[in-house]
Amino acid sequence: MINVTDIPIYVTTSNGRGHILKVFCHLFGKYWSNDKEVIVVGYDFPEFQMPSNFTFRSMGVQSGGPSKWATDLNIFFSSES
């Protein structure tokens, strides 16, 4: 059985939201943990240094609005094992 504390946290974002992601990283470390694995799913790598417990996974090139973003997320999470 999988221990729920071993499951990584996924955070989804898109281009142009780096300022929100930067604040999230800070608050996550301050109020939750600097050890918990966090996977950020987006398009372009953030323009700031994320904490060491954060990793970034790209969905490729961003094209289109919210409906395309949802399609890209569906493709990404369908391929996760």
Side-chain angles (χ1 to χ4, degrees):
M1 178 182 239
I2 296 175
N3 186 339
V4 74
T5 60
D6 295 333
I7 298 172
I9 294 175
Y10 285 84
V11 176
T12 60
T13 188
S14 60
N15 293 346
R17 303 295 183 254
H19 61 290
I20 297 169
L21 182 59
K22 187 174 185 177
V23 172
F24 174 81
C25 290
H26 170 74
L27 293 175
F28 186 89
K30 182 175 181 178
Y31 292 109
W32 196 342
S33 173
N34 286 319
D35 298 322
K36 181 70 177 164
E37 179 185 8
V38 180
I39 299 171
V40 178
V41 180
Y43 293 101
D44 295 342
F45 194 86
E47 295 180 0
F48 64 93
Q49 182 67 39
M50 293 191 300
S52 61
N53 59 315
F54 280 66
T55 57
F56 183 81
R57 306 263 299 276
S58 177
M59 295 185 288
V61 177
Q62 181 173 342
S63 61
S67 62
K68 182 63 176 166
W69 177 69
T71 300
D72 291 341
L73 285 174
N74 186 27
I75 292 168
F76 174 83
F77 284 112
S78 293
S79 68
E80 286 291 283
S81 53

